[in-house]
Structure formats: structure tokens, C-alpha cells
Amino acid sequence: MKSDKVSIIVPVYNVEKYLDECVKSILAQTYENIEIVLVDDGSKDTSGAMCDEYKKTDDRIVVVHKENGGLSSARNAGMENASGDYYIFVDSDDTISPDMAEEMVKKANEYDAKIVSSLISEEQEKLGTGDINKVTVYDTHDALKSIFSDGLVVTSSSGKMYAAELFEDIRFPTEMIFEDFATIYKVIRKAPKVVVFEDWQYFYRPNPAGITGTPFYHRKMQFFEVADKVTSGISSDYSDLVPVIRNRITRQAISYYRDVASSGYDDADDTKFIIKTVRKGIWKYLFSRYKAKSKMFGLLIAISPPLARKVFAKKS
């Protein structure tokens, strides 16, 4: 019987420093029926040429060159050029464990699941050091609850394998950041089961220039726009999860206010909106599963934003 084919989609943009390590970790997969879709998103360094060289060494590699359109655009282009039964998304500065695809296909078949997830680590040496046999099976509702509350199933598109059919009518939004938050819940809604095995199979390299690594800037406010769309998207079928999302929004607003204070960000309208959001959700947030320290910071912001700003500015 022919094995399932896994398409590993890699958006590539100006990553000549890390690309070789990434591609080698994919080529080292113990599962052989894979294709590697390298999407050169208009790179200005040697990344695009490197992709062409990789293609010469392995006929499982597909290379797509396109004008720069951003991460979402590159992932979408990858899916358009993929032929696998499953998709795995790998960022081009990250690496994966050699048995990631094999274990995910095994578990997809064993549990009849359309989404299989491993754990993600920011420490490369942790790859493969977890418990590959410790498995949790979520139904759709509980998987959604997990991504909205930072549980074992996370919002990130990375570290997961998806049945290609789930993306048949879904694409990552190209006009905004927080593309995973805007997309992955839609995919999970179509999956009766999500399986998580507790082994670190994906190494995420923190990017100082990424969303979480840069000082606060206005575009980060898109989170609230995305969160509103997500809330509307699940409110009819999963109304009990709306408070869970709202707690997530409050937590993000608390984090944002800390970033505003530490970076000296001075947009008055954005700052007022963040404070308003914290005040709106703080009382329910105090009874949420989030850490006491975050709740304390949120309460301080709600009561005295100027004092909170001074405290956070000193901590930076």
C-alpha cells in the first residue's frame, strides 16, 4: 500500500544564514515519501539561488520563485504547488526533528486524526527529548479552547501536520500580521480530532526582528482586529469559548501596555485603546487560568495607568 505523501512547505526570504540547517533537517527525515516545497519570496540575498542548488541534489524538492508578498503569501503559494496528502509548515530559520513526519503520519493513522501536533521549543537541544508516546486526543471544541487559552494545542501553524483537505477553502491572510491566529482556528473547526504528542519535534529560532522581538509599533494593534474576527467566527457554534477569547485579549492588552511603557511608545489613541481593553476585561481575567503576576499587572493598569507605566518603564 502506498504511504501518505507529506508536503513540507518552507517560505524563504533572506535567510541565507540559516537556510542550509533548515533544509538539511528536512532532508534527514526518516519518512521518505515527502516533498519539500521551497518558496523563494523575492529574496534579495543568496537564498533563492540556494533553493535552486538544493533542487539539483534531491528530486523531492520543488522550488517556487515569486515576488515578495510576505509570509502568508509564501505559504499560500507553497500550498498551490504542493501535491501531498498532508502539509507541514516550517519557517526557513527553524529546524525539525528527523522523525517528525514519520511520527505524525503514524499518529494520524492510528487515531484517525486530520491534525497532529508536537511540542515547539526555543532550545534546539530539546528536540526529541520528550515523551513521544504521551498522546492527548482533543475534539474540536477542546482543541479550540486550547489555542484560545495557550494550552497544549497552540495557535502557531508550526509544529503541526494538517490533512491537505482542511485547507481546501482556507488560506493565510496576506494583509495582516497574526496570520496564524486568524487562520488556524478555522482549520481546527474542520477537524473532528486533534492529536498532540508531548515530544519537542520543532525548534523555533527566536527572531529579534519578529513581532515579539521588536519594540511596540502601531501594526501590532491588528491583534485586536483579528481577535474580533475570531470571536465572531466562533460565537454561533462555540459561544462558551467567547469568554476564553476575551481573557486572551485582556492578557494581550496587558502585555502590550508593558511594551508601550518599556519602549516609550507615544501614540495616545493606541495607548488609550489598550487601557480601555484592559479595564473592560480585567474583572473576568482575575478569575482566569493566567498567572497571578499578569493579573496583578492588569489590575494596576486598570486602576492607575500612569503608575503602571512608571513601574513597567523601570523594569525595562
Side-chain angles (χ1 to χ4, degrees):
M1 185 175 68
K2 187 177 179 181
S3 63
D4 295 313
K5 186 176 183 180
V6 179
S7 296
I8 302 178
I9 298 169
V10 186
V12 177
Y13 181 70
N14 292 353
V15 284
E16 58 185 8
K17 182 178 179 181
Y18 302 113
L19 184 58
D20 195 55
E21 186 179 3
C22 173
V23 173
K24 284 181 177 177
S25 77
I26 299 172
L27 289 172
Q29 291 299 294
T30 55
Y31 190 78
E32 294 185 358
N33 193 13
I34 63 173
E35 71 174 353
I36 306 165
V37 185
L38 303 177
V39 183
D40 169 31
D41 191 36
S43 296
K44 297 176 181 177
D45 61 4
T46 63
S47 298
M50 291 172 69
C51 291
D52 291 331
E53 289 301 312
Y54 295 132
K55 182 176 174 59
K56 294 177 183 178
T57 67
D58 197 309
D59 59 10
R60 297 176 300 174
I61 295 178
V62 176
V63 176
V64 179
H65 295 285
K66 61 183 288 295
E67 293 184 3
N68 180 253
L71 178 62
S72 290
S73 174
R75 285 178 179 165
N76 294 341
M79 286 189 280
E80 296 297 330
N81 287 273
S83 60
D85 302 292
Y86 294 99
Y87 297 151
I88 292 176
F89 300 102
V90 178
D91 289 347
S92 51
D93 53 353
D94 298 340
T95 60
I96 59 176
S97 182
D99 59 348
M100 178 175 174
E102 181 176 0
E103 286 299 329
M104 288 187 166
V105 171
K106 281 182 182 178
K107 286 172 173 54
N109 290 327
E110 181 180 353
Y111 293 94
D112 190 26
K114 295 186 183 299
I115 300 177
V116 179
S117 178
S118 66
L119 303 184
I120 300 173
S121 177
E122 294 185 8
E123 302 173 49
Q124 196 166 21
E125 60 272 16
K126 289 184 74 172
L127 287 180
T129 64
D131 187 347
I132 211 161
N133 296 312
K134 188 175 182 181
V135 175
T136 304
V137 181
Y138 294 83
D139 62 16
T140 306
H141 174 278
D142 288 348
L144 288 170
K145 183 177 181 180
S146 180
I147 66 168
F148 296 145
S149 59
D150 299 316
L152 203 56
V153 185
V154 298
T155 304
S156 173
S157 62
S158 301
K160 299 181 181 68
M161 185 183 76
Y162 311 85
E165 65 193 69
L166 297 178
F167 277 94
E168 191 172 310
D169 57 351
I170 295 174
R171 289 296 184 264
F172 291 94
T174 58
E175 72 281 2
M176 60 178 61
I177 54 178
F178 302 104
E179 61 281 330
D180 287 351
F181 189 32
T183 306
I184 299 306
Y185 86 95
K186 295 179 182 178
V187 182
I188 289 177
R189 284 191 65 172
K190 297 171 68 175
K193 292 179 187 176
V194 177
V195 169
V196 181
F197 63 101
E198 296 188 36
D199 188 23
W200 291 278
Q201 294 277 302
Y202 191 101
F203 164 61
Y204 166 74
R205 191 184 307 276
N207 182 358
I211 294 174
T212 59
T214 55
F216 195 84
Y217 57 99
H218 175 70
R219 203 171 176 214
K220 288 187 177 183
M221 297 294 289
Q222 282 187 356
F223 172 83
F224 299 112
E225 177 187 347
V226 173
D228 284 344
K229 290 181 179 179
V230 172
T231 305
S232 297
I234 63 99
S235 59
S236 58
D237 295 333
Y238 300 98
S239 58
D240 64 304
L241 296 182
V242 171
V244 179
I245 299 176
R246 287 177 176 159
N247 280 334
R248 169 81 175 266
I249 293 170
T250 303
R251 190 208 65 171
Q252 192 74 23
I254 293 167
S255 177
Y256 274 2
Y257 195 78
R258 296 183 66 184
D259 292 344
V260 163
S262 62
S263 65
Y265 185 75
D266 60 358
D267 187 296
D269 289 339
D270 285 354
T271 304
K272 287 179 182 177
F273 184 88
I274 293 168
I275 294 170
K276 181 180 178 181
T277 302
V278 173
R279 285 174 169 166
K280 182 179 179 180
I282 188 61
W283 299 116
K284 289 184 178 179
Y285 187 74
L286 292 177
F287 297 96
S288 72
R289 58 171 292 277
Y290 290 105
K291 294 181 180 179
K293 189 174 183 181
S294 176
K295 296 175 184 178
M296 179 185 69
F297 287 151
L299 196 57
L300 180 59
I301 294 166
I303 295 172
S304 178
L307 178 58
R309 187 158 189 148
K310 288 181 181 178
V311 170
F312 299 148
K314 286 180 181 179
K315 287 182 178 292
S316 65

